[in-house]
Each structure stands twice: as C-alpha cells, then as structure tokens.
Amino acid sequence: MATTSRKHAHPLRTLVIFALVIAGFYTIIAVSGVWMPKLGLDLRGGSTITLTASNSTGSGQVDAKSLELARTIIQQRVDGYGVGESEVTTSGDRQIVVSVPNVQKDDLVRLVGTTAQLYFRKVYNVAAATGSVAEPSATPSASAQPSASATASAEPSASASVSSPSPSASSTANKRPLPSLPTPVASPRPTTPGETKPLADLLTWTPSDRDNSDFETYLCGDTNFPDVTTEALITCDQDKAYKYLLGPALIPGNMVTRAIAAVPQNSVAYVVQLEFNNQGAADFQTVTAHLATQTSPQNQFGIVLDGQVISAPSVASNYTAGIAGGKAEISGSFTQKSAQDLANILSYGALPLSFDVSSVENVSAKLGADQLQAGIIAGVIGLALVLAYSILYYRALAVVVAASLVVAFGLTWALVVLLGTSMGFALNLPGIAGAIVAIGVTADSFIIYFERIRDEAREGRSLRTAIETGWQRSRSTILAADSVSLLSAVVLFIIAIGAVKGFAFTLGLTTLIDIAVVFFFTHPMLTLLGRTKFFGEGHRFSGFEAQHMGTTNPPLHNSRRTKGAAVVGGEA
Amino acid sequence: MTDQLTQTPEPAVKKASLTHRLYTGEMSYDFVAKRNRWYLISGVVLLIAILAIAFRGLSLGIEFKGGVEFQAPVQVTSSTVETVRQAVQDLRIPGNDDISVNTIGDGQVRVQTTALSSDEVTQVKGAIAGAIGLQPDDVAYSLIGASWGQQITTQAVIALVVFLVLVMLLIWIYFREFKMSIAAIVALLHDLVITVGVYALVGFTVTPATMIGVLTILGYSLYDTMVVFDRIRENTRELSNTRFTYSVAANSALNQVLVRSLNTTIIGVLPVAALLFTGWFILGTGPLKDLGLALFVGMIAGAYSSIFIATPLLAQMREADPDMVEHRERLARRAARATEKAAVRKPKAVTLVAGDATAPPVDPASLGLVPAKALDPTTRRQPSKQARSRRKK
C-alpha cells in the first residue's frame, strides 16, 4: 500500500487531463459564441403543441416513415406561418411536438392540428405575382415559367417533354392562406364546402366575374383566401412568383397511393412518379383527357397543399384519351431534392394518419420568466443546503465537495450548452428539477467515498492509505448505485412523453457527469490533499480529524497501525 | 436477543463517536432480528396508504381528465375569483357552467374548464384578461385532449414494468444473488405504495410530473438499497469461514452503513426539499412542486425500506437456504463445543456473544481485532509491545 513514485504522478496527471477536457468544451463554446443553454418554452414563453397520430386504416400502428413525413409537412406549415425559430419534432412512436417560442397565436393550434389538405385542381389563370408583399426570396426560382409547354406521360418510358413549374420547394417563410379562416373580404366567400358535384360537372365549371376580378387584385401573401374544396381558389406558388386562379378540387390527395422521385431509364433528369388508387385512376384519366384538349394555362393541374400551389404540371395535348392506368409522371427541371420534396408532399396525401391535438401548453413570457427564476432559486437553495450540511459534517473536506460540485456544475453547463447548439436540446423546468435532484446524487457519491475512507481509517490505516483503499472499495458501490440511477433515467427518457423527457435527460446526463467527476476530479484531488499536512495529519478542521472520524488516534502519515484504534473494536 | 442498544463499556480511551461505535459493532442495533416489528410497522403504514388510495382517491390533474387550464398573473384580492368566474361564465360556452376558478398563492389565478375549441380558448383568454386587466397574451393556458391522460398512464405503467424487470436483472447480475433482487423490489414497491398513499392523504394533484417523480423514486430508493447490499455482500463473502450467521453479518453491514445511509439520504433530500419549497411557496403549482413532493416522500421511504425492509427480508430469505441452514448447524455445533470447553475452564468468557453483531468479519487482521481467536483466551497471543529497536538493546 505504499505509494510508489508512479502513483505520485498519477493524480495530478488525471486532474490536468480532466481540466483540459473541460477547457476543450469551453473552447468549443467560446468558438460558437453561445454561452447560455437553450431554454425550453416553459422558461421563456411560447406554445408547445403535442399531436398524437393515429392510423385510420389497418392495425392502428404508425410507422416511423409516415410520422417523419407528417413531421416534415407540419414543419413546412409552421414555417409558412412565419413565426420563425419553430421546431417540430417527433417523440415516441406516435407523437409530433410543435414548439413555437414567443408566440401566443391561438390559430397556430388549428394550423398544425388540421389534417393537411392536398388537392388536384384545374388551373384557370396564371399571372406573375406582381406587386406582391412577398419578402425577398433567398432562392429566386430557377424553374420554368408555369405556362411552359408540358406533358404528363402515362408511361415513364414515354419520351414526353414535360416541365413542371416551380418544383423547387423553398423553405422561405411566407404567409399562406389558412384553411377555413374567416376572411376580411367585405362579403365573405363561403368557408365551408358545399355539395360535392360529379366530376363531369366540375370540368365544366368556369370562374365567376368576381373570381376573375379578385384574381386581378390578388397579392401574394396579403389575404387569407379560403381554401374550400368546392369553390374557386386564388393562391400563389411557394416562391410567390406566380398567382393562380384554380377551380374546385377535382381529385383529393388521398387518392394518391404512392409517389416517388426517380430517374427513369434512358434519362438523366429526375421525375416524380405517382400512382393512384382505382377511383383516383379513373378520375385522373377523365381529368387528363379533358385537360389535354385545353390551351395553356388551362391544361394545367394545380397541385395544392394547404392552399398553396406546390406544382402545376400541364398535360400534353396528345393525351386526348387521358392518362390511363393510374400511373403518371411529372417531369421538369427537378433536382434530386426538389423531386424528393414534391414526392414527399404527394405521398402525404397517401398517409393514412390523422392527428389529434393531445395537449397545448401555452406559457406566457412572464410565467416563463417566473418559472426560470423559481428554478434558479431552487437550485441555489439546494446547493447551499448541501454545502452547509457537508461543511457541518465534513469540515474542511467540504472544500472538496464544493469544488467537485462546482466542477460538476461547470461540466453540466458546458454539456447542456453544447447539446443545445448541436442537438437542439432545450433545458426546461423539469430539466432544471432533474439537475437539482442530481446535486444530491452527485454529493451522495462523495459521501460513499468519504465514509469509506473513514471506515478504512477506523480500521487503523493511515489516512493516505485509507484514501487509496477506501477508493478501491467505494468505487464499485458508486458505480453500482449510479448505474441504477442511470438505468431509471434511460428508461424514463425512452418512455416519457412531453416535457418530462427533459427531467430524465438531465438526470441521466448529470449521473454520468457525477461518475466522471468522482473518478477524475474528487479522487485525484483527495489523493493530493491527503499528502498535505493539513489533511494528511488530520487537522482539527480537516474532516479527517481523529475524533471527528471516530478513530481514537490521529491518522498520521504512514502510521500504519496504531494501538488504540485497533483495540477498541476488538473488545466489543 | 434483547431489545435494547447494547453498549459495552470502553477501555480507558477517549469516548469514540457514534459513527465509530456503530462501525466497530461496539454499539449496534439489531435491525434484522426485530424484523417482525418493522414488517408490522410497514404493514400498518401500507394499510393506511392503501386505504387512503381506496377511499380518498387521487385527485387527478387536468392532464388525466382532459380540459383546459388557464393561468394568469394577478394581484389576488377577495373578489378576484368571483370576477374571473363571472367573466368566463358570461361567455356562455356550452358545457362550461361549472368551471373551477382558484388562486395559487396571491399572485396567480387559475381557471379550469372542460375541453374547448381554439376559438373558445381565445374567447376565454380574452375574458380572463379583461376581468383582471391584462393583455390576452399574458394568460397562459394548457389544453389537454381527452386521450392524453390515458397515454401518459400507459407509458408510465410500461416504464414501471420495464424498469422493475431491468433492475431485477441488474441486481442479479451485479450481486449474483436473486434473493437480493426480490428483496430490493419488495422494498421498492413498498416505497411506491407509501408515496402514492401520501399523495392520496395530502390531496395534492397528480400530474405527469408526479408520475415522473414517482418513477424516479425507483432509482433513488434502489440507490440506498444498493449501498447496503454492497456491504452485505462484502461481509458475507466468506461467511462459511466465520462464526457469524447471515443475519448477523447482514445486520453488522447495516450498522456499518447506517451513518452513510443517513448522510446520503439527508444530502439527497436537501435539494429535493428546496425543489418542494420553491415549487410550493414561490410558484404555487407546476412540475417543481409535483416532482418535489413525490421525491421527498419517496426518498425518505426509500431510506427506511432499505434498512428496515430490504435487509431483514433478504436475511430471512437467505437463512432459509440450505447452505445457510447448514452453516447455522455448524455454528451451533461449534458453539456447543465451546460452551463445553468453557464450562470446564472459565464460564465467564461466554458473555462475548452479547453484542450479536460485532466487528465485521472482513479482513479481521486489518481491523486489528483478532476476532475469532479472541473468543478463546488460550490461543490468544499478546502482540509484542516492544518496538524492534528497543528489543535489540
């Protein structure tokens, strides 16, 4: 048990390496320039909406791919709402969580909670969106003019020159008409669908004068034109480059059974291939047959998602019999991404998912600030109590407790900040609670260690030896106890839904940090301190004082065994 | 076994601390032997808890029932509740004649209604804000769908079962002793029932945060149990070579870690108490308070159960094992022989058994205790009192 020269170098080296690791974390933070953890919405105000998906068909299972697709669509909708900094994540196997900071808009709930509406409508008129209130678009549309000559082919192999207007799905924030919102128009347009007419009647539909005049004056993004399936729709494409006058919905998006982005054989360009179900195939043939006879722009389909034109492919005039077989292909100046985006949107119509609003958490900025303050107060009180108790009980050894807690805090802070910037982890109130509870878990490890040192000293070991043997024996206890803590945190994290996930996360994180701190800071620190005269010789206030520890002899340096301590126990 | 703290008079040394006396076994309390008493106490507490749950029931939060809860900051006066209630009722929203309005502390007013549409939420927000002179945006609200509570409950039950199974496996793997798993799980369930019972008694609202708190207790309660069991394992590692029964070894382990257990519990409870305090008195409601109470009760119950339930139960189960039965028989034979011998020589020496849980059998040499040999005065060798240097002279 003699400390060899090799062991002398050890604790210091560990400390230095550990300090370097922490310094490394803070260097990354300094480089990124973000010093504060990302706060959850319950601490800074905002809305959190939890949606639960249910499968309207089949076994009721929600597969991860559909959920992710739905998440993408909802993200686009929220982005389109123009609130910025919003976040849409999936949680568990059927939840989608929408978090929007600093927003108190109640219609947001309706926006994200509504099932996406994807429809194929007929285009009646197209015009450049002049005088639009659109903000400068970062990605000027490189796509073809919407009225460009275009065809849709039934066979992917058919050599049809096809172009699709504005296939580029930009994520530019823009105001888009909300479904069934009251409009500020003097005599409001109907906001609820009327009677659905047969397809043949719909094809003969013509825009009213009012539709035409509204179209003339329509500015992209300025009004919320109601998106009603049986009525005309005036809206813009995603880039707000063009405005469209569209007829009533002809084919609903849920008739699309499949949509993929692909590069057909003998081709180099991306296309989007789509398939319809039986009813959809029949309708699609009828509609394409009609469109093929029309002139531009009335030979175009407007594919409308949530009242926004996603794509407006035209049907070539040679398809006078319509596109049969329920398979079609949209081609144009697609990139892989834009083709994929369009395919995703089209497949969304095929998603058998419906969403329920499970919970809406709306925290005002003031309540958020109060909660943050309370969390900080709780943390400070908790920390102070733990420190006070350890000073009372461990005297100067409390310095080690304090230093270890400070290191643990520093490490936790760094990791929470880094996880916030890299993974978007936001610290919420339950998360703070988890960190506070973890103060106890962390301090517990020190107690197990310190008490073990005392036990060893009681058995007559010198303090310096006791620090080493106490460590060897308490190490496994600390690991076992911490792993139980960790296990519960992991189970909770995987299974928890909503804000309490944050609790499990910080609890687990801080348990890991605790292990790191005990191994790489507290133990080497104590080894070093054990060599000092103050601690090593059991000074009155060192916490290793013989009387205080319960040994009857001072744990002198290397005084291997002293008579008194040994006998006391033996005579019991 | 007698029913009091046994303390043998010390030699003429300074009075050792309680910790020290507990550690050496000089002073020990026989937790294990009095297990029936602890079982009885726990049984009574559990009964109260179960009765409380059965008859008082848990007051479930809005998260479990579905509905909308509004919260707004306001300087509470005697008329606040009535003003707000009137304002909301004046909206005449169908199905909401019976809204609940109360104040939290003196700075918040809370309104609970049944499920509302988004338009109705906007209306109610406006009404509340109007009644107390705020902007509608200052009114926070949470809306819970009807199926949400069911989902949370299902998840919590899954978490509970998964955790229990994993912990059982973990303890089994770590300690290689399945009975330790059983004892730990029994103690855990004990803590859970008590915590839930306290919730029923106090009448705090059960929220998802409460459930998380309760699930966290699982981890924390086990933390204590792990510490005790670790020591028991250490003390019983070479049990067959000692004169101690499993119960005695387990009991001495308990006494040795008693102070440590108390310390870890106090240190663990202190931050939780801070949480509870802040949640209760500063915020008045919310996850801090809910987590705080569940953890507070659960941690104290956990410390109790690891000492008074888990260990006695473990000892009881282990003593029933064939190897332990055999070990006890061997000890009995040895004791009989010793008594015979002692009867021949000095009958006085037998008093040594009094302390029941004496020094731990671990590495007796390091303790300097010479435990087994100390029993037999004839074989005891006095260590040389003379230093080498002096002997040389």
Side-chain angles (χ1 to χ4, degrees):
Chain A
M1 261 165 260
T3 30
T4 63
S5 55
R6 191 186 57 84
K7 276 187 178 175
H8 272 292
H10 206 70
L12 202 59
R13 197 174 60 204
T14 314
L15 280 179
V16 169
I17 292 174
F18 193 53
L20 284 178
V21 170
I22 296 178
F25 284 139
Y26 276 95
T27 315
I28 301 174
I29 291 176
V31 169
S32 73
V34 181
W35 288 91
M36 299 300 287
K38 194 176 161 200
L39 291 180
L41 296 184
D42 54 350
L43 298 178
R44 56 179 175 145
S47 302
T48 311
I49 303 164
T50 309
L51 303 170
T52 304
S54 52
N55 197 328
S56 42
T57 60
S59 58
Q61 287 292 315
V62 177
D63 78 297
K65 239 178 105 183
S66 309
L67 195 68
E68 177 55 30
L69 194 53
R71 190 202 68 79
T72 317
I73 302 287
I74 293 176
Q75 176 84 65
Q76 284 173 5
R77 278 197 216 175
V78 176
D79 287 345
Y81 191 55
V83 287
E85 241 200 300
S86 61
E87 209 168 77
V88 182
T89 52
T90 58
S91 162
D93 56 356
R94 51 178 56 207
Q95 262 92 34
I96 290 183
V97 180
V98 181
S99 333
V100 185
N102 306 320
V103 168
Q104 302 285 328
K105 289 175 185 150
D106 296 331
D107 41 355
L108 187 69
V109 178
R110 191 170 20 215
L111 175 73
V112 299
T114 326
T115 311
Q117 302 187 33
L118 179 73
Y119 290 101
F120 290 76
R121 290 174 184 254
K122 185 185 168 186
V123 175
Y124 284 90
N125 205 350
V126 180
T130 48
S132 141
V133 289
E135 56 263 47
S137 168
T139 50
S141 172
S143 58
Q145 150 89 20
S147 56
S149 81
T151 34
S153 69
E155 304 297 325
S157 52
S159 60
S161 81
V162 174
S163 91
S164 159
S166 64
S168 70
S170 84
S171 59
T172 323
N174 50 5
K175 303 267 183 197
R176 92 170 60 116
L178 294 173
S180 55
L181 263 189
T183 57
V185 179
S187 62
R189 287 173 171 272
T191 54
T192 48
E195 203 184 326
T196 312
K197 293 184 186 121
L199 199 58
D201 292 355
L202 291 174
L203 292 175
T204 58
W205 184 91
T206 46
S208 67
D209 291 344
R210 182 179 167 197
D211 292 337
N212 285 323
S213 64
D214 280 356
F215 178 69
E216 289 304 318
T217 56
Y218 185 78
L219 295 178
C220 280
D222 66 345
T223 55
N224 292 328
F225 197 93
D227 180 11
V228 181
T229 52
T230 55
E231 301 295 327
L233 176 68
I234 302 174
T235 184
C236 295
D237 66 354
Q238 285 179 311
D239 295 331
K240 295 178 183 165
Y242 298 98
K243 57 182 177 180
Y244 294 83
L245 172 59
L246 303 162
L250 300 172
I251 302 169
N254 60 12
M255 286 186 179
V256 177
T257 52
R258 189 160 167 265
I260 52 164
V263 180
Q265 278 181 326
N266 310 322
S267 170
V268 289
Y270 271 92
V271 299
V272 175
Q273 297 171 346
L274 56 156
E275 289 173 27
F276 291 91
N277 62 11
N278 288 340
Q279 176 67 43
D283 289 355
F284 189 68
Q285 187 173 7
T286 314
V287 176
T288 45
H290 167 76
L291 291 181
T293 62
Q294 304 289 309
T295 52
S296 180
Q298 298 192 4
N299 63 350
Q300 282 177 283
F301 261 126
I303 301 174
V304 184
L305 176 74
D306 292 339
Q308 189 179 27
V309 176
I310 302 300
S311 173
S314 56
V315 179
S317 56
N318 52 337
Y319 285 107
T320 44
I323 295 173
K327 289 185 178 175
E329 186 178 287
I330 304 170
S331 57
S333 51
F334 286 115
T335 62
Q336 182 181 2
K337 178 162 188 319
S338 63
Q340 194 61 58
D341 286 346
L342 180 57
N344 277 346
I345 288 168
L346 287 169
S347 342
Y348 185 72
L351 277 189
L353 295 184
S354 62
F355 287 92
D356 285 331
V357 176
S358 287
S359 83
V360 180
E361 199 73 39
N362 187 314
V363 174
S364 62
K366 184 176 181 318
L367 183 61
D370 286 352
Q371 308 217 79
L372 178 60
Q373 192 191 12
I376 293 170
I377 292 175
V380 170
I381 296 179
L383 207 56
L385 285 175
V386 167
L387 277 183
Y389 185 80
S390 35
I391 290 170
L392 208 69
Y393 196 78
Y394 291 110
R395 320 249 164 125
L397 213 49
V399 173
V400 181
V401 176
S404 302
L405 284 177
V406 166
V407 171
F409 178 79
L411 201 53
T412 310
W413 185 275
L415 287 179
V416 167
V417 170
L418 286 179
L419 287 172
T421 43
S422 62
M423 290 168 51
F425 169 72
L427 189 66
N428 58 13
L429 194 56
I432 291 184
I436 294 172
V437 170
I439 298 174
V441 177
T442 311
D444 275 2
S445 314
F446 307 151
I447 291 176
I448 292 176
Y449 181 25
F450 291 166
E451 288 296 326
R452 197 74 213 212
I453 294 175
R454 291 174 170 212
D455 289 355
E456 298 295 318
R458 254 173 229 131
E459 292 180 3
R461 292 200 168 80
S462 78
L463 192 62
R464 207 156 152 184
T465 319
I467 287 174
E468 214 37 60
T469 55
W471 170 243
Q472 276 153 19
R473 293 192 177 179
S474 58
R475 194 168 46 193
S476 65
T477 312
I478 293 173
L479 281 179
D482 270 349
S483 54
V484 171
S485 250
L486 201 60
L487 184 68
S488 72
V490 169
V491 171
L492 282 183
F493 181 75
I494 293 172
I495 289 169
I497 33 183
V500 283
K501 239 187 166 68
F503 176 81
F505 188 86
T506 45
L507 191 64
L509 180 72
T510 43
T511 306
L512 284 178
I513 288 174
D514 166 42
I515 296 176
V517 168
V518 171
F519 272 74
F520 305 125
F521 181 79
T522 313
H523 169 56
M525 191 75 186
L526 215 54
T527 311
L528 287 182
L529 285 178
R531 293 183 192 151
T532 63
K533 204 176 162 209
F534 182 77
F535 285 97
E537 294 186 359
H539 186 274
R540 219 158 84 74
F541 297 110
S542 66
F544 284 136
E545 175 213 358
Q547 175 73 31
H548 187 62
M549 281 205 294
T551 57
T552 37
N553 281 69
L556 284 168
H557 255 306
N558 297 329
S559 58
R560 168 110 178 86
R561 187 154 309 154
T562 45
K563 39 193 171 163
V567 181
V568 177
E571 295 295 311
Chain B
M1 272 161 249
T2 47
D3 195 0
Q4 74 242 355
L5 286 167
T6 54
Q7 185 185 0
T8 45
E10 275 176 68
V13 211
K14 272 190 285 181
K15 191 175 173 296
S17 73
L18 176 69
T19 324
H20 182 62
R21 282 179 286 156
L22 280 170
Y23 180 80
T24 53
E26 178 192 322
M27 186 172 128
S28 82
Y29 192 79
D30 206 338
F31 295 102
V32 175
K34 296 190 188 66
R35 57 172 174 254
N36 287 334
R37 173 182 302 176
W38 315 131
Y39 294 168
L40 185 69
I41 293 175
S42 283
V44 171
V45 176
L46 286 177
L47 189 69
I48 295 173
I50 290 168
L51 286 178
I53 299 167
F55 290 105
R56 275 183 64 92
L58 291 168
S59 96
L60 293 179
I62 197 168
E63 288 84 353
F64 296 97
K65 298 179 293 189
V68 190
E69 181 179 293
F70 298 86
Q71 204 178 327
V74 65
Q75 193 56 51
V76 173
T77 62
S78 55
S79 63
T80 307
V81 169
E82 214 27 62
T83 321
V84 172
R85 181 194 302 278
Q86 203 54 51
V88 177
Q89 274 175 348
D90 283 349
L91 294 171
R92 306 232 176 279
I93 292 168
N96 272 297
D97 310 321
D98 186 29
I99 55 166
S100 130
V101 180
N102 54 0
T103 53
I104 305 161
D106 56 0
Q108 296 275 340
V109 63
R110 183 171 63 181
V111 179
Q112 287 178 322
T113 68
T114 56
L116 300 175
S117 72
S118 327
D119 288 337
E120 289 164 342
V121 166
T122 315
Q123 287 178 35
V124 176
K125 269 175 75 174
I128 296 172
I132 54 181
L134 283 174
Q135 290 299 312
D137 282 358
D138 289 333
V139 180
Y141 76 94
S142 52
L143 178 150
I144 314 290
S147 64
W148 188 230
Q150 188 55 48
Q151 283 187 51
I152 298 176
T153 315
T154 314
Q155 295 291 82
V157 170
I158 294 173
L160 182 67
V161 172
V162 168
F163 183 76
L164 287 182
V165 171
L166 285 179
V167 156
M168 242 166 158
L169 288 176
L170 181 85
I171 295 181
W172 191 16
I173 292 166
Y174 184 76
F175 291 115
R176 317 265 156 168
E177 173 61 77
F178 193 62
K179 291 197 161 125
M180 284 190 169
S181 298
I182 297 176
I185 298 294
V186 169
L188 204 59
L189 293 175
H190 167 268
D191 304 341
L192 280 183
V193 174
I194 289 181
T195 312
V196 177
V198 168
Y199 255 86
L201 273 179
V202 177
F204 267 24
T205 310
V206 175
T207 66
T210 312
M211 291 181 111
I212 289 298
V214 168
L215 291 173
T216 315
I217 296 168
L218 303 175
Y220 219 94
S221 153
L222 275 171
Y223 195 100
D224 268 344
T225 312
M226 291 292 272
V227 172
V228 179
F229 281 8
D230 209 34
R231 193 66 190 222
I232 292 178
R233 177 174 68 159
E234 209 177 303
N235 281 10
T236 57
R237 195 168 277 149
E238 287 171 7
L239 196 64
S240 53
N241 298 334
T242 68
R243 65 193 168 89
F244 302 118
T245 63
Y246 194 91
S247 300
V248 172
N251 195 55
S252 77
L254 261 190
N255 280 287
Q256 285 162 351
V257 297
L258 191 60
V259 172
R260 188 190 314 177
S261 260
L262 281 178
N263 270 332
T264 50
T265 306
I266 292 171
I267 290 256
V269 163
L270 285 177
V272 171
L275 270 188
L276 183 58
F277 174 82
T278 340
W280 200 333
F281 293 106
I282 296 183
L283 285 178
T285 180
L288 291 190
K289 178 179 152 190
D290 301 334
L291 275 171
L293 183 71
L295 285 174
F296 190 77
V297 177
M299 282 162 90
I300 293 173
Y304 169 83
S305 70
S306 64
I307 293 171
F308 293 93
I309 302 296
T311 311
L313 190 64
L314 171 67
Q316 194 178 6
M317 285 192 296
R318 281 293 282 135
E319 291 288 16
D321 283 351
D323 60 326
M324 284 302 140
V325 174
E326 199 185 306
H327 179 61
R328 277 205 309 281
E329 281 167 0
R330 201 164 51 233
L331 289 181
R333 283 200 301 276
R334 221 188 280 170
R337 271 204 305 278
T339 327
E340 275 170 33
K341 274 191 204 166
V344 178
R345 285 181 230 115
K346 279 185 250 164
K348 238 177 83 190
V350 194
T351 49
L352 59 98
V353 207
D356 208 41
T358 46
V362 270
D363 192 9
S366 72
L367 282 170
L369 289 183
V370 284
K373 289 173 192 162
L375 290 173
D376 193 350
T378 54
T379 53
R380 182 165 178 195
R381 266 183 57 219
Q382 287 292 332
S384 170
K385 292 272 181 188
Q386 280 179 323
R388 249 169 238 276
S389 50
R390 272 171 58 195
R391 258 184 277 158
K392 271 180 195 164
K393 280 177 190 170

